Amino acid sequence: MINFQYSRATDVADAVRQIAAEPDAKFIAGGTNLLDLMKDFVERPSRLIDITRLPLTTVEETPDGGLRIGALVPNSDLAYHPLIEQRYPLIGSAILSGASQQLRNMASTGGNLLQRTRCAYFYDIATPCNKREPGSGCSAIDGHNRMHAILGASDACIAVHPSDMCVALAVLDAKVHVAGPAGNRTIAIEDFHRLPADTPHLDTNLHPHEMITAIELPARGFASNSSYLKIRDRLSYAFALVSVAAALELEGGRIKEARVALGGVAHKPWRDRAAEAAMHGQAPDAATFRRAADLLLQNAKGYAHNTFKIELARAAIVRTLTQAARGTPQVQSNKKIQ
Ligand SMILES: Cc1cc2nc3c(=O)[nH]c(=O)nc-3n(C[C@H](O)[C@H](O)[C@H](O)COP(=O)(O)OP(=O)(O)OC[C@H]3O[C@@H](n4cnc5c(N)ncnc54)[C@H](O)[C@@H]3O)c2cc1C
Ligand code: SF4
């Protein structure tokens, strides 16, 4: 049993004040990841600062036609929000492919971005892990690495980021609004998560004591031509082996704009602007999509147990782009269960 203090934040400024005053404290939102980590002794916060009563639970339209999603909007509410269903179906599809309905009811938008990797060694404090204990080594590189990275990994860590929602946010160029001791700032989703390099203990570019207050979606939701495909060992309640978020704008039978992000393959949602640019002006057909997949995966590298992911990703990219082009997205679920 770990002893810890508990307090409730009264507003965002109070939350930031409390965490700045006690560096080993942690915010708790839905608790669906943090409490598991505490039970496994991976996280040992001195205090839990409960942010669940803060007024960050609304989804609002922004003056430029986008949406601002409060950090405490539950994942279920977001997936089934009418504006998300109509204008950003990619987000709903990605969220509904993850976890279970009960978990999605508890999980928050901000917490989803900050969930930690599911690398089994990270959760097992008896094994070396550079992410949990910097300098101790990486058990996965020569160990059981079936779920691990094929892109952007380092000699220090080959873990992947587990979020589905973040892959859709990456394709839509979302922004993350944060509040901290130095004031408020906005981080592009592309710059929010980090590659492991030699500092795998740092998952994101959040500064110490900052909290996420909202996610902002730009006006363009690619509602007509987008798709999220998640390949996993079971059809539900499993993390991605590979996932793909694709969004296309078509004009006169050609691709005007193409965006693709991969999940389950790297320490952050993976985008490659050169692969996207190579599709511009081309016909939305299998040959174009195969060339884009080849470009996206040209630097992919497998380990002992996950080389299969490279071909899996190639096929998934082509299939997801084809679904997006045809306007026949993957349907994850259409019923809300309370
Ligand atoms: C069995 C299981 C299966 C799952 N399957 C999937 C899946 O398939 N796909 C998927 O994407 N996810 C999956 N998840 C993960 C789930 O989506 C996350 O656990 C959830 O989104 C985290 O949100 P939370 O509010 O519960 O975060 P918490 O557990 O409360 O917090 C997580 C971290 O974020 C910090 N934090 C929370 N809110 C803020 C904030 N506003 N500002 C700053 N820091 C904050 C906390 O301090 C903590 O470090 C699964 C989880 C479980 C337990
Ligand atoms: S892959 Fe990363 S999280 Fe997993 S054991 Fe290696 S250092 Fe730890």
Side-chain angles (χ1 to χ4, degrees), residues 27 29-34 98-99 108 112 114-115 163-164 212 230 239:
F27 295 128
T32 59
N33 190 213
L34 181 55
S108 66
N112 193 308
L114 293 173
Q115 59 176 294
S163 167
D164 290 291
I212 299 173
K230 177 176 178 179
F239 288 91

Side-chain angles (χ1 to χ4, degrees), residues 204-259:
T204 73
N205 287 314
L206 268 187
H207 296 157
H209 321 317
E210 281 184 327
M211 85 172 270
I212 299 173
T213 52
I215 303 297
E216 187 181 330
L217 299 179
R220 291 175 77 203
F222 296 89
S224 309
N225 293 103
S226 61
S227 186
Y228 185 75
L229 176 63
K230 177 176 178 179
I231 312 284
R232 49 200 147 161
D233 285 328
R234 287 186 306 262
L235 196 54
S236 72
Y237 207 53
F239 288 91
L241 288 165
V242 168
S243 70
V244 185
L248 295 174
E249 185 178 339
L250 304 175
E251 196 176 71
R254 298 266 147 187
I255 297 171
K256 189 170 176 207
E257 183 168 356
R259 299 186 190 177

Side-chain angles (χ1 to χ4, degrees), residues 31-318:
T32 59
N33 190 213
L34 181 55
L35 293 180
D36 279 354
L37 290 164
M38 288 172 67
K39 283 187 252 174
D40 286 339
F41 301 99
V42 177
E43 296 275 14
R44 296 161 176 268
S46 58
R47 173 182 297 273
L48 290 182
I49 303 168
D50 184 343
I51 57 172
T52 55
R53 310 261 173 118
L54 300 185
L56 303 172
T57 53
T58 54
V59 177
E60 290 161 3
E61 295 188 76
T62 58
D64 62 0
L67 280 192
R68 186 182 166 103
I69 303 158
L72 292 167
V73 174
N75 286 178
S76 309
D77 290 10
L78 185 58
Y80 295 114
H81 193 284
L83 290 172
I84 292 290
E85 287 183 332
Q86 288 155 23
R87 289 170 43 194
Y88 306 92
L90 197 53
I91 299 273
S93 184
I95 291 174
L96 293 176
S97 75
S100 65
Q101 186 65 45
Q102 289 87 347
L103 283 160
R104 294 191 297 262
N105 288 345
M106 288 300 295
S108 66
T109 299
N112 193 308
L113 268 73
L114 293 173
Q115 59 176 294
R116 312 286 322 259
T117 184
R118 307 309 287 203
C119 172
Y121 301 107
F122 176 68
Y123 285 76
D124 178 359
I125 58 168
T127 59
C129 168
N130 286 325
K131 185 179 279 298
R132 179 170 26 78
E133 203 181 322
S136 63
C138 172
S139 299
I141 286 178
D142 295 317
H144 191 68
N145 46 37
R146 185 167 176 277
M147 299 292 290
H148 289 70
I150 53 171
L151 286 162
S154 72
D155 292 342
C157 179
I158 61 171
V160 299
H161 193 263
S163 167
D164 290 291
M165 184 183 78
C166 290
V167 184
L169 293 180
V171 144
L172 295 175
D173 283 340
K175 291 180 195 154
V176 186
H177 290 265
V178 306
N184 300 337
R185 67 184 180 116
T186 303
I187 310 169
I189 187 77
E190 191 158 16
D191 302 326
F192 186 79
H193 296 102
R194 298 165 58 101
L195 289 178
D198 55 0
T199 53
H201 59 291
L202 300 175
D203 290 345
T204 73
N205 287 314
L206 268 187
H207 296 157
H209 321 317
E210 281 184 327
M211 85 172 270
I212 299 173
T213 52
I215 303 297
E216 187 181 330
L217 299 179
R220 291 175 77 203
F222 296 89
S224 309
N225 293 103
S226 61
S227 186
Y228 185 75
L229 176 63
K230 177 176 178 179
I231 312 284
R232 49 200 147 161
D233 285 328
R234 287 186 306 262
L235 196 54
S236 72
Y237 207 53
F239 288 91
L241 288 165
V242 168
S243 70
V244 185
L248 295 174
E249 185 178 339
L250 304 175
E251 196 176 71
R254 298 266 147 187
I255 297 171
K256 189 170 176 207
E257 183 168 356
R259 299 186 190 177
V260 184
L262 306 181
V265 298
H267 205 254
K268 60 185 286 188
W270 189 267
R271 274 184 77 176
D272 182 330
R273 304 297 167 137
E276 294 174 6
M279 288 187 269
H280 296 171
Q282 304 297 313
D285 59 20
T288 300
F289 299 152
R290 270 197 295 270
R291 269 196 307 276
D294 289 345
L295 284 171
L296 262 156
L297 296 166
Q298 63 184 338
N299 295 319
K301 173 189 162 197
Y303 295 84
H305 305 289
N306 75 346
T307 307
F308 73 96
K309 275 192 176 191
I310 300 174
E311 277 318 301
L312 188 64
R314 203 182 309 278
I317 292 164
V318 174

